[in-house]
Amino acid sequence: EYDVRKRSWFNETAEFGEIMFGSLIYSYDDSSVTLTTQVPLYQNDALIAVGGVDINISHIRDFVSTFTFGNTGQSFLVMEDRNILHFPDLEFNLERRLNQLDTELENTSGFATLDSLLWHSDSGDYTLTYQGERYKVFFSRLPDFNWRAGLLIAESELLEPSEQVFRSAIYYLVFAGVFLLMITFFIATPIVKPIKDPAEQFFELSAPEGDLT
């Protein structure tokens, strides 16, 4: 007899008490990427069910790739399991991490350190070498789920010699902050909303006046 209460995904979600994001599943049939999610549903502080939603998030990779700035500014996105969802000029790979880029890309170093910094701070910046050039990286944690969004900008573009060096640097820093806020909103919304909407429907159905037929 199938009893969901004995399933690990049910008990883990119930114990966690909040939305849980699972792993990404890649479909070789249509090249889609699906994020598995579970959410506990309560009524009067009592657990009544655990709902599950599979979300196709391949569009997010395309969305993130549109965030560029100046001549060198490019964006990337890292999931909670530290695997990269999107990184400039790299094809999607379910098991690629930032710390692998030091050896995977030529004349590149510092990504292993960045990979560590991402998970010890909700936001920050770091300087590394990317394909032979020094880059400044700004990163921030996305709310509702423990992912990291980042923006890479070449130092040469940030610090180009001119009478407006200081103003240009401040301009880039401000833009980096705005970028992270925008990417947080536009990525979090399409992922979290499909989970919250079914949850609200479950609550309505579980109410005394709800129609369970």
Side-chain angles (χ1 to χ4, degrees), residues 64-77 86-90 130-131 135-138 149-154 157 175 179 183:
V64 176
S65 67
T66 65
F67 277 87
T68 60
F69 187 73
N71 297 319
T72 61
Q74 301 181 83
S75 55
F76 65 90
L77 187 63
H86 171 76
F87 194 87
D89 304 321
L90 291 180
Y130 174 48
Q131 296 184 328
Y135 270 75
K136 193 76 170 181
V137 181
F138 302 93
L151 178 69
L152 302 105
I153 303 176
E157 191 168 3
F175 172 81
F179 159 78
I183 202 172

PDB file of all heavy atoms in Angstrom, residues 64-77 86-90 130-131 135-138 149-154 157 175 179 183:
ATOM      1  N   VAL A  64      18.332  35.417 -18.035  1.00  0.00           N
ATOM      2  CA  VAL A  64      19.565  35.877 -17.397  1.00  0.00           C
ATOM      3  C   VAL A  64      20.591  36.316 -18.433  1.00  0.00           C
ATOM      4  O   VAL A  64      21.320  37.285 -18.229  1.00  0.00           O
ATOM      5  CB  VAL A  64      20.152  34.773 -16.496  1.00  0.00           C
ATOM      6  CG1 VAL A  64      21.494  35.206 -15.899  1.00  0.00           C
ATOM      7  CG2 VAL A  64      19.179  34.433 -15.375  1.00  0.00           C
ATOM      8  N   SER A  65      20.646  35.627 -19.546  1.00  0.00           N
ATOM      9  CA  SER A  65      21.632  35.949 -20.580  1.00  0.00           C
ATOM     10  C   SER A  65      21.399  37.324 -21.194  1.00  0.00           C
ATOM     11  O   SER A  65      22.317  37.906 -21.786  1.00  0.00           O
ATOM     12  CB  SER A  65      21.621  34.879 -21.676  1.00  0.00           C
ATOM     13  OG  SER A  65      20.391  34.910 -22.398  1.00  0.00           O
ATOM     14  N   THR A  66      20.194  37.871 -21.059  1.00  0.00           N
ATOM     15  CA  THR A  66      19.920  39.192 -21.630  1.00  0.00           C
ATOM     16  C   THR A  66      20.469  40.318 -20.762  1.00  0.00           C
ATOM     17  O   THR A  66      20.527  41.456 -21.203  1.00  0.00           O
ATOM     18  CB  THR A  66      18.398  39.404 -21.811  1.00  0.00           C
ATOM     19  OG1 THR A  66      17.754  39.414 -20.530  1.00  0.00           O
ATOM     20  CG2 THR A  66      17.798  38.297 -22.659  1.00  0.00           C
ATOM     21  N   PHE A  67      20.861  40.013 -19.530  1.00  0.00           N
ATOM     22  CA  PHE A  67      21.393  41.042 -18.645  1.00  0.00           C
ATOM     23  C   PHE A  67      22.872  41.251 -18.927  1.00  0.00           C
ATOM     24  O   PHE A  67      23.732  40.519 -18.448  1.00  0.00           O
ATOM     25  CB  PHE A  67      21.179  40.657 -17.179  1.00  0.00           C
ATOM     26  CG  PHE A  67      19.818  41.006 -16.667  1.00  0.00           C
ATOM     27  CD1 PHE A  67      18.773  40.116 -16.820  1.00  0.00           C
ATOM     28  CD2 PHE A  67      19.579  42.217 -16.050  1.00  0.00           C
ATOM     29  CE1 PHE A  67      17.508  40.432 -16.355  1.00  0.00           C
ATOM     30  CE2 PHE A  67      18.317  42.545 -15.584  1.00  0.00           C
ATOM     31  CZ  PHE A  67      17.287  41.643 -15.736  1.00  0.00           C
ATOM     32  N   THR A  68      23.157  42.260 -19.705  1.00  0.00           N
ATOM     33  CA  THR A  68      24.537  42.644 -20.002  1.00  0.00           C
ATOM     34  C   THR A  68      24.703  44.128 -19.683  1.00  0.00           C
ATOM     35  O   THR A  68      23.720  44.852 -19.516  1.00  0.00           O
ATOM     36  CB  THR A  68      24.881  42.390 -21.481  1.00  0.00           C
ATOM     37  OG1 THR A  68      23.992  43.180 -22.309  1.00  0.00           O
ATOM     38  CG2 THR A  68      24.715  40.919 -21.832  1.00  0.00           C
ATOM     39  N   PHE A  69      25.955  44.559 -19.578  1.00  0.00           N
ATOM     40  CA  PHE A  69      26.193  45.962 -19.299  1.00  0.00           C
ATOM     41  C   PHE A  69      27.502  46.399 -19.934  1.00  0.00           C
ATOM     42  O   PHE A  69      28.521  45.715 -19.814  1.00  0.00           O
ATOM     43  CB  PHE A  69      26.240  46.223 -17.793  1.00  0.00           C
ATOM     44  CG  PHE A  69      26.313  47.685 -17.451  1.00  0.00           C
ATOM     45  CD1 PHE A  69      25.199  48.492 -17.618  1.00  0.00           C
ATOM     46  CD2 PHE A  69      27.485  48.237 -16.997  1.00  0.00           C
ATOM     47  CE1 PHE A  69      25.251  49.839 -17.316  1.00  0.00           C
ATOM     48  CE2 PHE A  69      27.553  49.584 -16.689  1.00  0.00           C
ATOM     49  CZ  PHE A  69      26.438  50.388 -16.849  1.00  0.00           C
ATOM     50  N   GLY A  70      27.469  47.529 -20.624  1.00  0.00           N
ATOM     51  CA  GLY A  70      28.677  48.027 -21.264  1.00  0.00           C
ATOM     52  C   GLY A  70      29.208  47.037 -22.275  1.00  0.00           C
ATOM     53  O   GLY A  70      28.457  46.305 -22.928  1.00  0.00           O
ATOM     54  N   ASN A  71      30.524  46.974 -22.371  1.00  0.00           N
ATOM     55  CA  ASN A  71      31.153  46.072 -23.335  1.00  0.00           C
ATOM     56  C   ASN A  71      31.452  44.694 -22.751  1.00  0.00           C
ATOM     57  O   ASN A  71      31.592  43.722 -23.488  1.00  0.00           O
ATOM     58  CB  ASN A  71      32.454  46.694 -23.851  1.00  0.00           C
ATOM     59  CG  ASN A  71      32.204  47.989 -24.614  1.00  0.00           C
ATOM     60  OD1 ASN A  71      31.253  48.085 -25.383  1.00  0.00           O
ATOM     61  ND2 ASN A  71      33.054  48.989 -24.394  1.00  0.00           N
ATOM     62  N   THR A  72      31.570  44.600 -21.434  1.00  0.00           N
ATOM     63  CA  THR A  72      32.019  43.339 -20.832  1.00  0.00           C
ATOM     64  C   THR A  72      31.094  42.788 -19.760  1.00  0.00           C
ATOM     65  O   THR A  72      31.266  41.647 -19.339  1.00  0.00           O
ATOM     66  CB  THR A  72      33.412  43.522 -20.206  1.00  0.00           C
ATOM     67  OG1 THR A  72      33.335  44.514 -19.166  1.00  0.00           O
ATOM     68  CG2 THR A  72      34.427  43.970 -21.254  1.00  0.00           C
ATOM     69  N   GLY A  73      30.125  43.555 -19.277  1.00  0.00           N
ATOM     70  CA  GLY A  73      29.275  43.104 -18.184  1.00  0.00           C
ATOM     71  C   GLY A  73      28.360  41.960 -18.590  1.00  0.00           C
ATOM     72  O   GLY A  73      27.567  42.087 -19.528  1.00  0.00           O
ATOM     73  N   GLN A  74      28.478  40.821 -17.893  1.00  0.00           N
ATOM     74  CA  GLN A  74      27.663  39.642 -18.166  1.00  0.00           C
ATOM     75  C   GLN A  74      27.201  39.033 -16.845  1.00  0.00           C
ATOM     76  O   GLN A  74      27.848  39.188 -15.810  1.00  0.00           O
ATOM     77  CB  GLN A  74      28.447  38.603 -18.967  1.00  0.00           C
ATOM     78  CG  GLN A  74      28.948  39.118 -20.313  1.00  0.00           C
ATOM     79  CD  GLN A  74      29.694  38.046 -21.074  1.00  0.00           C
ATOM     80  OE1 GLN A  74      29.094  37.218 -21.750  1.00  0.00           O
ATOM     81  NE2 GLN A  74      31.008  38.039 -20.962  1.00  0.00           N
ATOM     82  N   SER A  75      26.091  38.313 -16.893  1.00  0.00           N
ATOM     83  CA  SER A  75      25.489  37.784 -15.676  1.00  0.00           C
ATOM     84  C   SER A  75      25.587  36.266 -15.607  1.00  0.00           C
ATOM     85  O   SER A  75      25.762  35.582 -16.609  1.00  0.00           O
ATOM     86  CB  SER A  75      24.026  38.211 -15.596  1.00  0.00           C
ATOM     87  OG  SER A  75      23.326  37.813 -16.770  1.00  0.00           O
ATOM     88  N   PHE A  76      25.444  35.741 -14.376  1.00  0.00           N
ATOM     89  CA  PHE A  76      25.421  34.289 -14.181  1.00  0.00           C
ATOM     90  C   PHE A  76      24.487  33.960 -13.023  1.00  0.00           C
ATOM     91  O   PHE A  76      24.116  34.832 -12.223  1.00  0.00           O
ATOM     92  CB  PHE A  76      26.823  33.725 -13.926  1.00  0.00           C
ATOM     93  CG  PHE A  76      27.469  34.196 -12.643  1.00  0.00           C
ATOM     94  CD1 PHE A  76      27.288  33.499 -11.455  1.00  0.00           C
ATOM     95  CD2 PHE A  76      28.269  35.331 -12.635  1.00  0.00           C
ATOM     96  CE1 PHE A  76      27.884  33.924 -10.286  1.00  0.00           C
ATOM     97  CE2 PHE A  76      28.879  35.763 -11.464  1.00  0.00           C
ATOM     98  CZ  PHE A  76      28.684  35.056 -10.280  1.00  0.00           C
ATOM     99  N   LEU A  77      24.104  32.685 -12.920  1.00  0.00           N
ATOM    100  CA  LEU A  77      23.170  32.245 -11.891  1.00  0.00           C
ATOM    101  C   LEU A  77      23.592  30.870 -11.380  1.00  0.00           C
ATOM    102  O   LEU A  77      23.866  29.970 -12.166  1.00  0.00           O
ATOM    103  CB  LEU A  77      21.754  32.183 -12.462  1.00  0.00           C
ATOM    104  CG  LEU A  77      20.616  31.891 -11.491  1.00  0.00           C
ATOM    105  CD1 LEU A  77      20.507  33.000 -10.449  1.00  0.00           C
ATOM    106  CD2 LEU A  77      19.298  31.762 -12.240  1.00  0.00           C
ATOM    107  N   HIS A  86      23.251  29.214 -15.272  1.00  0.00           N
ATOM    108  CA  HIS A  86      23.659  29.967 -16.459  1.00  0.00           C
ATOM    109  C   HIS A  86      25.000  30.632 -16.200  1.00  0.00           C
ATOM    110  O   HIS A  86      25.238  31.193 -15.129  1.00  0.00           O
ATOM    111  CB  HIS A  86      22.643  31.050 -16.813  1.00  0.00           C
ATOM    112  CG  HIS A  86      23.130  31.983 -17.885  1.00  0.00           C
ATOM    113  ND1 HIS A  86      23.162  31.612 -19.213  1.00  0.00           N
ATOM    114  CD2 HIS A  86      23.641  33.237 -17.821  1.00  0.00           C
ATOM    115  CE1 HIS A  86      23.662  32.615 -19.922  1.00  0.00           C
ATOM    116  NE2 HIS A  86      23.958  33.607 -19.100  1.00  0.00           N
ATOM    117  N   PHE A  87      25.869  30.563 -17.219  1.00  0.00           N
ATOM    118  CA  PHE A  87      27.138  31.281 -17.187  1.00  0.00           C
ATOM    119  C   PHE A  87      27.476  31.693 -18.615  1.00  0.00           C
ATOM    120  O   PHE A  87      27.245  30.926 -19.554  1.00  0.00           O
ATOM    121  CB  PHE A  87      28.265  30.411 -16.621  1.00  0.00           C
ATOM    122  CG  PHE A  87      29.492  31.195 -16.258  1.00  0.00           C
ATOM    123  CD1 PHE A  87      29.615  31.772 -14.999  1.00  0.00           C
ATOM    124  CD2 PHE A  87      30.516  31.383 -17.176  1.00  0.00           C
ATOM    125  CE1 PHE A  87      30.735  32.513 -14.663  1.00  0.00           C
ATOM    126  CE2 PHE A  87      31.630  32.126 -16.859  1.00  0.00           C
ATOM    127  CZ  PHE A  87      31.741  32.699 -15.595  1.00  0.00           C
ATOM    128  N   PRO A  88      28.016  32.920 -18.803  1.00  0.00           N
ATOM    129  CA  PRO A  88      28.268  33.431 -20.156  1.00  0.00           C
ATOM    130  C   PRO A  88      29.113  32.483 -21.010  1.00  0.00           C
ATOM    131  O   PRO A  88      30.107  31.928 -20.549  1.00  0.00           O
ATOM    132  CB  PRO A  88      29.030  34.742 -19.891  1.00  0.00           C
ATOM    133  CG  PRO A  88      28.634  35.143 -18.515  1.00  0.00           C
ATOM    134  CD  PRO A  88      28.416  33.873 -17.761  1.00  0.00           C
ATOM    135  N   ASP A  89      28.681  32.286 -22.233  1.00  0.00           N
ATOM    136  CA  ASP A  89      29.444  31.562 -23.258  1.00  0.00           C
ATOM    137  C   ASP A  89      29.626  30.073 -22.968  1.00  0.00           C
ATOM    138  O   ASP A  89      30.412  29.404 -23.638  1.00  0.00           O
ATOM    139  CB  ASP A  89      30.825  32.200 -23.464  1.00  0.00           C
ATOM    140  CG  ASP A  89      30.729  33.677 -23.806  1.00  0.00           C
ATOM    141  OD1 ASP A  89      29.809  34.047 -24.563  1.00  0.00           O
ATOM    142  OD2 ASP A  89      31.555  34.462 -23.308  1.00  0.00           O
ATOM    143  N   LEU A  90      28.899  29.533 -21.981  1.00  0.00           N
ATOM    144  CA  LEU A  90      29.013  28.111 -21.676  1.00  0.00           C
ATOM    145  C   LEU A  90      27.673  27.435 -21.906  1.00  0.00           C
ATOM    146  O   LEU A  90      26.624  27.955 -21.514  1.00  0.00           O
ATOM    147  CB  LEU A  90      29.442  27.892 -20.222  1.00  0.00           C
ATOM    148  CG  LEU A  90      30.862  28.286 -19.846  1.00  0.00           C
ATOM    149  CD1 LEU A  90      31.112  27.993 -18.364  1.00  0.00           C
ATOM    150  CD2 LEU A  90      31.888  27.560 -20.703  1.00  0.00           C
ATOM    151  N   TYR A 130      39.429  36.084 -15.529  1.00  0.00           N
ATOM    152  CA  TYR A 130      38.519  35.349 -16.405  1.00  0.00           C
ATOM    153  C   TYR A 130      39.028  35.450 -17.830  1.00  0.00           C
ATOM    154  O   TYR A 130      39.054  36.521 -18.418  1.00  0.00           O
ATOM    155  CB  TYR A 130      37.105  35.926 -16.274  1.00  0.00           C
ATOM    156  CG  TYR A 130      36.078  35.366 -17.217  1.00  0.00           C
ATOM    157  CD1 TYR A 130      35.928  33.997 -17.396  1.00  0.00           C
ATOM    158  CD2 TYR A 130      35.237  36.213 -17.941  1.00  0.00           C
ATOM    159  CE1 TYR A 130      34.973  33.488 -18.252  1.00  0.00           C
ATOM    160  CE2 TYR A 130      34.270  35.719 -18.803  1.00  0.00           C
ATOM    161  CZ  TYR A 130      34.136  34.350 -18.956  1.00  0.00           C
ATOM    162  OH  TYR A 130      33.198  33.851 -19.811  1.00  0.00           O
ATOM    163  N   GLN A 131      39.501  34.317 -18.361  1.00  0.00           N
ATOM    164  CA  GLN A 131      40.040  34.226 -19.715  1.00  0.00           C
ATOM    165  C   GLN A 131      41.101  35.302 -19.974  1.00  0.00           C
ATOM    166  O   GLN A 131      41.077  35.987 -20.983  1.00  0.00           O
ATOM    167  CB  GLN A 131      38.896  34.320 -20.729  1.00  0.00           C
ATOM    168  CG  GLN A 131      37.927  33.139 -20.619  1.00  0.00           C
ATOM    169  CD  GLN A 131      36.835  33.141 -21.667  1.00  0.00           C
ATOM    170  OE1 GLN A 131      36.396  34.198 -22.103  1.00  0.00           O
ATOM    171  NE2 GLN A 131      36.379  31.966 -22.072  1.00  0.00           N
ATOM    172  N   TYR A 135      38.507  40.580 -13.727  1.00  0.00           N
ATOM    173  CA  TYR A 135      37.086  40.904 -13.676  1.00  0.00           C
ATOM    174  C   TYR A 135      36.641  41.163 -12.235  1.00  0.00           C
ATOM    175  O   TYR A 135      37.128  40.527 -11.300  1.00  0.00           O
ATOM    176  CB  TYR A 135      36.239  39.758 -14.236  1.00  0.00           C
ATOM    177  CG  TYR A 135      35.981  39.845 -15.713  1.00  0.00           C
ATOM    178  CD1 TYR A 135      36.973  39.537 -16.629  1.00  0.00           C
ATOM    179  CD2 TYR A 135      34.735  40.227 -16.199  1.00  0.00           C
ATOM    180  CE1 TYR A 135      36.736  39.606 -17.998  1.00  0.00           C
ATOM    181  CE2 TYR A 135      34.486  40.302 -17.572  1.00  0.00           C
ATOM    182  CZ  TYR A 135      35.489  39.997 -18.452  1.00  0.00           C
ATOM    183  OH  TYR A 135      35.253  40.071 -19.810  1.00  0.00           O
ATOM    184  N   LYS A 136      35.727  42.105 -12.097  1.00  0.00           N
ATOM    185  CA  LYS A 136      35.072  42.349 -10.824  1.00  0.00           C
ATOM    186  C   LYS A 136      33.739  41.615 -10.845  1.00  0.00           C
ATOM    187  O   LYS A 136      32.985  41.714 -11.818  1.00  0.00           O
ATOM    188  CB  LYS A 136      34.820  43.853 -10.629  1.00  0.00           C
ATOM    189  CG  LYS A 136      34.421  44.230  -9.206  1.00  0.00           C
ATOM    190  CD  LYS A 136      35.619  44.224  -8.270  1.00  0.00           C
ATOM    191  CE  LYS A 136      35.268  44.836  -6.929  1.00  0.00           C
ATOM    192  NZ  LYS A 136      36.443  44.845  -6.018  1.00  0.00           N
ATOM    193  N   VAL A 137      33.453  40.866  -9.780  1.00  0.00           N
ATOM    194  CA  VAL A 137      32.219  40.100  -9.694  1.00  0.00           C
ATOM    195  C   VAL A 137      31.379  40.630  -8.535  1.00  0.00           C
ATOM    196  O   VAL A 137      31.851  40.733  -7.407  1.00  0.00           O
ATOM    197  CB  VAL A 137      32.494  38.599  -9.462  1.00  0.00           C
ATOM    198  CG1 VAL A 137      31.181  37.819  -9.398  1.00  0.00           C
ATOM    199  CG2 VAL A 137      33.398  38.042 -10.557  1.00  0.00           C
ATOM    200  N   PHE A 138      30.135  40.998  -8.828  1.00  0.00           N
ATOM    201  CA  PHE A 138      29.176  41.394  -7.803  1.00  0.00           C
ATOM    202  C   PHE A 138      28.141  40.271  -7.693  1.00  0.00           C
ATOM    203  O   PHE A 138      27.635  39.788  -8.700  1.00  0.00           O
ATOM    204  CB  PHE A 138      28.478  42.703  -8.182  1.00  0.00           C
ATOM    205  CG  PHE A 138      29.430  43.848  -8.414  1.00  0.00           C
ATOM    206  CD1 PHE A 138      29.901  44.116  -9.698  1.00  0.00           C
ATOM    207  CD2 PHE A 138      29.845  44.642  -7.364  1.00  0.00           C
ATOM    208  CE1 PHE A 138      30.780  45.162  -9.921  1.00  0.00           C
ATOM    209  CE2 PHE A 138      30.721  45.697  -7.576  1.00  0.00           C
ATOM    210  CZ  PHE A 138      31.190  45.961  -8.862  1.00  0.00           C
ATOM    211  N   ALA A 149      22.867  35.144  -7.681  1.00  0.00           N
ATOM    212  CA  ALA A 149      22.968  35.817  -8.979  1.00  0.00           C
ATOM    213  C   ALA A 149      24.216  36.679  -8.962  1.00  0.00           C
ATOM    214  O   ALA A 149      24.582  37.258  -7.926  1.00  0.00           O
ATOM    215  CB  ALA A 149      21.733  36.688  -9.227  1.00  0.00           C
ATOM    216  N   GLY A 150      24.894  36.753 -10.095  1.00  0.00           N
ATOM    217  CA  GLY A 150      26.138  37.520 -10.147  1.00  0.00           C
ATOM    218  C   GLY A 150      26.309  38.279 -11.443  1.00  0.00           C
ATOM    219  O   GLY A 150      25.676  37.967 -12.456  1.00  0.00           O
ATOM    220  N   LEU A 151      27.149  39.291 -11.383  1.00  0.00           N
ATOM    221  CA  LEU A 151      27.464  40.112 -12.547  1.00  0.00           C
ATOM    222  C   LEU A 151      28.969  40.261 -12.642  1.00  0.00           C
ATOM    223  O   LEU A 151      29.635  40.651 -11.680  1.00  0.00           O
ATOM    224  CB  LEU A 151      26.806  41.489 -12.410  1.00  0.00           C
ATOM    225  CG  LEU A 151      27.071  42.505 -13.522  1.00  0.00           C
ATOM    226  CD1 LEU A 151      26.379  42.060 -14.810  1.00  0.00           C
ATOM    227  CD2 LEU A 151      26.560  43.885 -13.117  1.00  0.00           C
ATOM    228  N   LEU A 152      29.527  39.916 -13.808  1.00  0.00           N
ATOM    229  CA  LEU A 152      30.960  40.072 -14.051  1.00  0.00           C
ATOM    230  C   LEU A 152      31.193  41.292 -14.924  1.00  0.00           C
ATOM    231  O   LEU A 152      30.546  41.452 -15.961  1.00  0.00           O
ATOM    232  CB  LEU A 152      31.536  38.845 -14.772  1.00  0.00           C
ATOM    233  CG  LEU A 152      31.411  37.474 -14.135  1.00  0.00           C
ATOM    234  CD1 LEU A 152      30.340  36.662 -14.842  1.00  0.00           C
ATOM    235  CD2 LEU A 152      32.745  36.734 -14.223  1.00  0.00           C
ATOM    236  N   ILE A 153      32.150  42.145 -14.518  1.00  0.00           N
ATOM    237  CA  ILE A 153      32.512  43.317 -15.308  1.00  0.00           C
ATOM    238  C   ILE A 153      34.037  43.428 -15.331  1.00  0.00           C
ATOM    239  O   ILE A 153      34.687  43.337 -14.292  1.00  0.00           O
ATOM    240  CB  ILE A 153      31.920  44.609 -14.719  1.00  0.00           C
ATOM    241  CG1 ILE A 153      30.408  44.510 -14.594  1.00  0.00           C
ATOM    242  CG2 ILE A 153      32.280  45.807 -15.580  1.00  0.00           C
ATOM    243  CD1 ILE A 153      29.768  45.716 -13.929  1.00  0.00           C
ATOM    244  N   ALA A 154      34.608  43.613 -16.499  1.00  0.00           N
ATOM    245  CA  ALA A 154      36.054  43.735 -16.625  1.00  0.00           C
ATOM    246  C   ALA A 154      36.557  44.961 -15.865  1.00  0.00           C
ATOM    247  O   ALA A 154      35.975  46.040 -15.955  1.00  0.00           O
ATOM    248  CB  ALA A 154      36.452  43.824 -18.095  1.00  0.00           C
ATOM    249  N   GLU A 157      37.204  48.110 -17.818  1.00  0.00           N
ATOM    250  CA  GLU A 157      36.059  48.956 -18.125  1.00  0.00           C
ATOM    251  C   GLU A 157      35.650  49.796 -16.920  1.00  0.00           C
ATOM    252  O   GLU A 157      35.189  50.927 -17.060  1.00  0.00           O
ATOM    253  CB  GLU A 157      34.881  48.101 -18.590  1.00  0.00           C
ATOM    254  CG  GLU A 157      33.730  48.904 -19.176  1.00  0.00           C
ATOM    255  CD  GLU A 157      32.712  48.027 -19.883  1.00  0.00           C
ATOM    256  OE1 GLU A 157      32.869  46.795 -19.878  1.00  0.00           O
ATOM    257  OE2 GLU A 157      31.759  48.582 -20.456  1.00  0.00           O
ATOM    258  N   PHE A 175      24.754  50.354 -10.687  1.00  0.00           N
ATOM    259  CA  PHE A 175      24.074  49.490 -11.653  1.00  0.00           C
ATOM    260  C   PHE A 175      24.089  48.039 -11.188  1.00  0.00           C
ATOM    261  O   PHE A 175      23.093  47.317 -11.323  1.00  0.00           O
ATOM    262  CB  PHE A 175      24.739  49.575 -13.021  1.00  0.00           C
ATOM    263  CG  PHE A 175      24.203  48.553 -13.998  1.00  0.00           C
ATOM    264  CD1 PHE A 175      23.018  48.772 -14.673  1.00  0.00           C
ATOM    265  CD2 PHE A 175      24.876  47.361 -14.206  1.00  0.00           C
ATOM    266  CE1 PHE A 175      22.514  47.818 -15.542  1.00  0.00           C
ATOM    267  CE2 PHE A 175      24.383  46.409 -15.079  1.00  0.00           C
ATOM    268  CZ  PHE A 175      23.201  46.645 -15.760  1.00  0.00           C
ATOM    269  N   PHE A 179      20.869  45.801 -10.841  1.00  0.00           N
ATOM    270  CA  PHE A 179      20.782  44.554 -11.605  1.00  0.00           C
ATOM    271  C   PHE A 179      20.392  43.384 -10.712  1.00  0.00           C
ATOM    272  O   PHE A 179      19.508  42.584 -11.040  1.00  0.00           O
ATOM    273  CB  PHE A 179      22.124  44.258 -12.278  1.00  0.00           C
ATOM    274  CG  PHE A 179      22.314  42.810 -12.654  1.00  0.00           C
ATOM    275  CD1 PHE A 179      21.706  42.278 -13.780  1.00  0.00           C
ATOM    276  CD2 PHE A 179      23.097  41.981 -11.866  1.00  0.00           C
ATOM    277  CE1 PHE A 179      21.863  40.947 -14.110  1.00  0.00           C
ATOM    278  CE2 PHE A 179      23.258  40.651 -12.189  1.00  0.00           C
ATOM    279  CZ  PHE A 179      22.650  40.129 -13.312  1.00  0.00           C
ATOM    280  N   ILE A 183      17.077  41.121 -11.167  1.00  0.00           N
ATOM    281  CA  ILE A 183      17.157  39.696 -11.475  1.00  0.00           C
ATOM    282  C   ILE A 183      16.513  38.878 -10.366  1.00  0.00           C
ATOM    283  O   ILE A 183      15.916  37.834 -10.607  1.00  0.00           O
ATOM    284  CB  ILE A 183      18.627  39.271 -11.714  1.00  0.00           C
ATOM    285  CG1 ILE A 183      18.663  37.975 -12.535  1.00  0.00           C
ATOM    286  CG2 ILE A 183      19.382  39.083 -10.414  1.00  0.00           C
ATOM    287  CD1 ILE A 183      20.047  37.600 -12.985  1.00  0.00           C
TER     288      ILE A 183
END
